[in-house]
Amino acid sequence: MFRMVVGHSDEVEAADVVASVVEQCEAGLNGASPRAGLLFSTFDADPAALASGFAEAYPDVDLIGSTSMGEMSSEFGYLEDSVVLALFVSDTVDITAGLGTGLNVDRRAAVHRAVEEARGKTDREPTLCITTPSVAGWPPNLLADLREELGDGVTVVGGGAVAGALGDGADQGHQFFNGRVLSDAVPVLLFSGPLVHSFGVDAGWHPVGKRGRVTRVAEGTVYEIDDEPALGFYERYLGAGARPTSANPLAVFEEDSDDFYLRVAFADDEHPGALRVVGGLGEGARVQLAVAATEGIFDGTRSAFQRALKAYPEGSVPGAALLFACAVRKALLGTRTGRELEIARTEFGEGLT
């Protein structure tokens, strides 16, 4: 047995938020004991009060999470400036948490500590990892480090903690871990045992123009693309003196695949001609400018859900879904962001948590 319950609140005071969310979760639990949970909160809330409040309400439950730019749930739909908690109940799957700190001091050591702690709480093999790390400092290769620590066959999903506003990535968001509030950490939640799951990823952006290759990069800063100043890659399409914006991320292609993921880039004022890339880029990565219209973004939303359903075992029906969306989507969609949840309800059905 595996299920998820959700509580969601946009109350102002932290104590009221905790009380409201716990009341909703307890109604859904109906006496069952949760194993672990995910907490997402607006950056403008009191993070310490929220973290300690939920830790007191669920002292034996591993809780991780982060600050975010917008929260959505099956309880209240899409809300800004809110707090949402998802709790997991299972008698067949172990759900354990681990934490690595000093992510930008020694990334690999932080990832190792997080995974080692979580794996040390179970003797089962993990099948799914959820992480909500800091993205301040532009930690490159974090996903590769997690893959190396976890081994083949473990799905990794999640998203970086968002700061108060979408900017150049310098501001730090907060991470939550069992009552603590951190700002340079990588929390992980491991699901170990026979967990049936699938995932789908899409963006809605489309690559345009010629592909380039990253030829010089260091510590999250891309200095050259095709042996020319990296900023010139944008100027080629946007005009001389143009600065990249979140509306035009880089589509990144790995090896010989035509599939890509997105990286938001900003001009690096400390290094003229260079780009600071959220999440980092490796030397040799192939990149292309990406563009999107509003309807195209929603097409990407729909495609991600359809891919997840297609990958789910035939004859089985999912009982819960987690949605992770980039802050750039919310910045571009604005008040229309809630339509993504409407699409989820259409694709997954109204009864899904």
Side-chain angles (χ1 to χ4, degrees):
M1 178 270 292
F2 181 94
R3 63 190 179 95
M4 180 178 77
V5 300
V6 175
H8 196 171
S9 173
D10 62 352
E11 298 282 353
V12 176
E13 298 297 329
D16 295 333
V17 170
V18 172
S20 175
V21 168
V22 168
E23 181 180 10
Q24 295 169 54
C25 286
E26 288 301 305
L29 290 169
N30 194 27
S33 297
R35 303 289 294 270
L38 284 171
L39 172 64
F40 295 101
S41 166
T42 172
F43 189 86
D44 294 326
D46 183 343
L50 289 174
S52 62
F54 287 119
E56 182 177 348
Y58 298 105
D60 300 320
V61 175
D62 272 341
L63 290 176
I64 77 164
S66 71
T67 46
S68 62
M69 278 191 71
E71 302 74 40
M72 59 179 71
S73 77
S74 53
E75 290 297 310
F76 287 118
Y78 172 74
L79 293 174
E80 295 183 3
D81 302 323
S82 65
V83 176
V84 61
L85 175 67
L87 295 177
F88 304 103
V89 179
S90 180
D91 57 5
T92 56
V93 177
D94 291 343
I95 312 171
T96 57
L99 176 71
T101 56
L103 184 59
N104 287 291
V105 176
D106 190 334
R107 185 194 69 247
R108 295 191 68 175
V111 170
H112 175 75
R113 286 193 299 270
V115 173
E116 184 178 48
E117 180 181 353
R119 295 195 75 157
K121 299 175 182 178
T122 177
D123 57 4
R124 293 175 170 176
E125 286 300 309
T127 56
L128 173 68
C129 173
I130 299 176
T131 185
T132 57
S134 165
V135 291
W138 322 84
N141 304 319
L142 179 61
L143 181 58
D145 291 337
L146 282 167
R147 286 172 172 166
E148 183 176 344
E149 286 290 334
L150 291 165
D152 294 336
V154 180
T155 303
V156 181
V157 297
V162 168
L166 184 64
D168 65 359
D171 292 334
Q172 295 192 11
H174 298 309
Q175 299 85 56
F176 300 117
F177 185 84
N178 291 346
R180 298 171 62 186
V181 180
L182 306 109
S183 57
D184 185 24
V186 51
V188 300
L189 201 61
L190 291 189
F191 295 71
S192 303
L195 177 69
V196 178
H197 70 283
S198 64
F199 69 92
V201 181
D202 207 329
W205 271 257
H206 299 284
V208 296
K210 181 182 176 182
R211 290 185 191 177
R213 188 173 294 276
V214 175
T215 48
R216 189 161 73 94
V217 60
E219 298 181 351
T221 298
V222 177
Y223 291 94
E224 293 180 358
I225 299 176
D226 292 334
D227 298 314
E228 299 289 340
L231 187 58
F233 189 76
Y234 273 89
E235 292 180 328
R236 184 186 308 169
Y237 302 101
L238 305 180
R243 295 169 67 88
T245 71
S246 56
N248 294 118
L250 291 171
V252 185
F253 299 82
E254 291 188 346
E255 300 176 351
D256 296 325
S257 173
D258 286 329
D259 290 332
F260 63 89
Y261 56 88
L262 299 178
R263 286 286 187 262
V264 176
F266 299 94
D268 187 340
D269 293 330
E270 294 183 6
H271 303 93
L275 298 172
R276 294 287 276 175
V277 179
V278 180
L281 277 179
E283 192 166 295
R286 295 182 302 145
V287 296
Q288 200 169 352
L289 191 70
V291 298
T294 299
E295 286 305 315
I297 295 175
F298 289 133
D299 288 341
T301 304
R302 188 174 294 104
S303 171
F305 300 153
Q306 291 173 349
R307 290 184 181 196
L309 286 170
K310 185 177 181 180
Y312 205 74
E314 188 175 355
S316 300
V317 179
L322 295 171
L323 314 180
F324 299 96
C326 179
V328 170
R329 301 177 73 86
K330 185 258 184 180
L332 296 179
L333 293 175
T335 58
R336 292 170 291 183
T337 303
R339 187 175 166 192
E340 293 200 301
L341 184 60
E342 296 173 7
I343 295 172
R345 285 171 169 158
T346 298
E347 297 295 332
F348 293 133
E350 289 287 342
L352 196 69
T353 303

